[in-house]
Amino acid sequence: MADSEVGVTPYWELTFDADGDVNGEQRDRLLREVVERGVKDLIVFAHGWNNDRSAATRLYSRFFEPIPALAPNARLGYVGVIWPSMRFSDEPIPDFERAVTEVSVGSALDKGTRSALLRAFPGRATLIDQIARMLDRQPDGDAALEEYGRLVRLLVELRPEAPGAAFGADTSSESESESEEGPPSDPEMFVGDTAEMCREFARALAEAKAEAEAEATTTDAAGTAAGAGPGDERPRAGAAAADIPQAWDGAHELLRQAAYFAMKRRAGAVGERGLGRAVGLLAQAAPGVRVHLVGHSFGGRLVSFALRGLPKGVRTVKSVTLLQAAFSHYAFAARLPHEARSGGVLRGQQERIDGPLVCCFSRFDSALGTVYPLASRTAGDDRTAADFGLPRLLGARWGALGHNGVQAVSGTKAFTLADALRTRATLPASGCVNIDASAVVRHGGLPAGAHSDICHRELAQVVLAAGRIH
């Protein structure tokens, strides 16, 4: 592609299929030209849930834009990873034009999301049509919801022998091989009571809406919405949570989370089988090039699994920066606080980095703070949100890196965003580093909240600080 499409130069793309196979022509061009261009620091960015290449390249262009001015003397190169993921159309990306004018959180399956599902799950058009009809008609009764759940499971199911099937778990037992994920750990939404799960999702969305309204009200000094006139009073905090949850709204969320669980497995496969090997080849072709991996959402999972795919002895990855990473905050833990015989599936992989693993997170990310924990409970776990309350649920066992950072890893350092940038020269040179980015990652509508609000000069500075790029 032309460098002008992204706005920084030199820029390359690496396109991977769902199994992690890379476009050979793009790979060979990168290996050849990175040497010819005299690149010393290569920033490799993996997107999260985007509908297409166009959305991914817009993201890269906006994120990379401030970097040349921030590091004017660096000999930089840029890589955009393109992999087959998807985004639901009702998840706005702040400051990006929307594929649809306005899509409210609800049960219907909009045209954009249906098209995204067809691209993400080729050959499943009949199933997608059946799911769309049920969401549109909303038939009465738990039996209808159970049938809907069966269709969703069929849509995202991977055969045990299929490529990528073993990349869904974020933890594994110490009795399992370090090179394996161990038994599949599918969320309860695949094996539990579909009707009750839909109601739980609906309740979680209602609470997220109430919390967002309360936050907006609290931050307005006048106590009313900015610019609001008489009669435009903001709904009282907690009103949404008090409404009777609509199970079919939760059914729409079940589809979203099931699709994203499939993307989560795919991200692991693309990272380990694809990007990790490509970085290994780059280390052979250009051993002096310092590689800096950056990932947003499931792209954070992709670049983290790339560490598992690095050939033995490769030490060219100098930093990894995770932006609102959508996988378990225990993924790098040697031991789980709630289960001492198990650890994170990426335990010890941070040691493959010749530099720090930096995790940026935000409390305004409702995709990871509210709904992700519900979707991530393992099969067979009989505890529900009601058993111990949502607040405890959100910060405990089922938390995501993008919600509260790396957990249960000894020596992890913590900073606010302001402190991290003030202490740029002394940001830890190794180990895990948590940075609370809530000061800038704070905008976005439900259901995702600020999950995609990552194009900020300050976060570009974090990438440079993590990699000691000046």
Side-chain angles (χ1 to χ4, degrees):
M1 68 171 291
D3 292 337
S4 59
E5 287 187 56
V6 169
V8 292
T9 186
Y11 172 81
W12 298 272
E13 282 183 356
L14 285 177
T15 302
F16 297 89
D17 66 16
D19 298 335
D21 292 328
V22 67
N23 180 304
E25 183 178 344
Q26 291 178 338
R27 177 200 58 209
D28 293 346
R29 180 191 173 200
L30 171 65
L31 298 180
R32 180 178 69 253
E33 293 185 2
V34 76
V35 176
E36 295 173 355
R37 299 274 193 127
V39 170
K40 292 301 181 185
D41 287 280
L42 187 69
I43 301 175
V44 181
F45 198 139
H47 65 79
W49 48 69
N50 286 288
N51 278 336
D52 51 29
R53 173 183 172 275
S54 176
T57 54
R58 289 200 304 275
L59 171 67
Y60 298 152
S61 184
R62 289 205 52 229
F63 190 88
F64 289 150
E65 182 180 5
I67 290 180
L70 291 169
N73 299 318
R75 295 163 69 179
L76 288 166
Y78 307 85
V79 172
V81 173
I82 308 296
W83 64 285
S85 185
M86 67 164 288
R87 176 178 63 87
F88 275 55
S89 296
D90 62 356
E91 298 171 10
I93 300 176
D95 301 325
F96 275 49
E97 63 272 26
R98 298 189 183 191
V100 291
T101 305
E102 278 288 341
V103 181
S104 61
V105 179
S107 55
L109 191 64
D110 63 90
K111 183 178 179 181
T113 297
R114 183 183 180 280
S115 297
L117 286 168
L118 289 169
R119 288 192 296 269
F121 301 100
R124 306 288 180 89
T126 299
L127 270 175
I128 292 168
D129 286 343
Q130 290 175 301
I131 288 168
R133 282 196 297 271
M134 293 197 76
L135 285 171
D136 184 54
R137 296 172 182 173
Q138 302 182 27
D140 293 334
D142 285 4
L145 288 168
E146 292 299 334
E147 171 61 13
Y148 170 83
R150 185 186 70 84
L151 295 174
V152 170
R153 287 191 290 271
L154 286 174
L155 175 66
V156 302
E157 183 179 66
L158 290 180
R159 301 183 311 276
E161 71 276 13
F167 290 85
D170 283 342
T171 61
S172 59
S173 167
E174 66 180 8
S175 63
E176 295 154 8
S177 168
E178 286 288 338
S179 64
E180 298 176 351
E181 293 249 0
S185 185
D186 290 352
E188 187 176 334
M189 62 187 171
F190 290 128
V191 297
D193 184 323
T194 300
E196 180 55 32
M197 182 58 66
C198 289
R199 293 186 183 98
E200 284 200 40
F201 278 133
R203 285 191 288 268
L205 290 171
E207 285 209 14
K209 182 179 179 181
E211 289 172 4
E213 290 171 350
E215 178 73 29
T217 302
T218 301
T219 56
D220 178 22
T224 57
D232 291 328
E233 184 178 339
R234 185 180 299 275
R236 64 183 174 84
D243 293 340
I244 297 174
Q246 298 298 312
W248 281 101
D249 290 349
H252 183 276
E253 190 60 34
L254 176 68
L255 174 62
R256 185 198 316 275
Q257 295 300 328
Y260 290 161
F261 184 74
M263 296 305 104
K264 172 183 174 181
R265 290 183 295 195
R266 187 174 293 178
V270 172
E272 183 166 344
R273 293 175 173 155
L275 183 59
R277 294 174 183 176
V279 172
L281 291 175
L282 178 63
Q284 292 180 357
V289 173
R290 306 170 75 247
V291 176
H292 309 278
L293 302 179
V294 183
H296 169 236
S297 186
F298 284 141
R301 196 171 197 270
L302 190 156
V303 299
S304 297
F305 268 74
L307 299 173
R308 292 205 339 176
L310 289 176
K312 186 176 181 179
V314 170
R315 300 290 292 172
T316 55
V317 176
K318 303 300 180 181
S319 67
V320 174
T321 303
L322 308 179
L323 306 173
Q324 301 311 116
F327 63 110
S328 174
H329 56 193
Y330 293 138
F332 294 94
R335 289 288 181 271
L336 304 185
H338 54 275
E339 190 175 348
R341 288 179 54 82
S342 296
V345 72
L346 294 173
R347 55 189 179 274
Q349 291 301 317
Q350 65 270 27
E351 296 173 7
R352 302 296 308 273
I353 310 167
D354 190 22
L357 172 79
V358 176
C359 179
C360 294
F361 64 92
S362 171
R363 67 181 181 275
F364 298 107
D365 187 336
S366 53
L368 300 183
T370 298
V371 182
Y372 174 91
L374 282 174
S376 297
R377 288 177 302 162
T378 55
D381 189 284
D382 57 3
R383 289 174 295 177
T384 67
D387 288 333
F388 43 92
L390 268 174
R392 180 178 171 189
L393 174 71
L394 304 189
R397 181 169 180 177
W398 309 114
L401 286 159
H403 178 63
N404 61 353
V406 175
Q407 301 295 311
V409 175
S410 178
T412 297
K413 306 298 183 184
F415 296 87
T416 65
L417 182 60
D419 286 343
L421 297 181
R422 273 198 298 268
T423 59
R424 174 173 172 173
T426 57
L427 201 65
S430 63
C432 295
V433 181
N434 286 332
I435 297 179
D436 184 348
S438 301
V440 296
V441 181
R442 58 188 301 116
H443 300 295
L446 290 173
H451 184 68
S452 293
D453 185 22
I454 62 165
C455 292
H456 297 282
R457 179 184 178 90
E458 294 88 344
L459 297 186
Q461 288 178 275
V462 168
V463 172
L464 297 176
R468 300 294 199 270
I469 303 172
H470 305 291

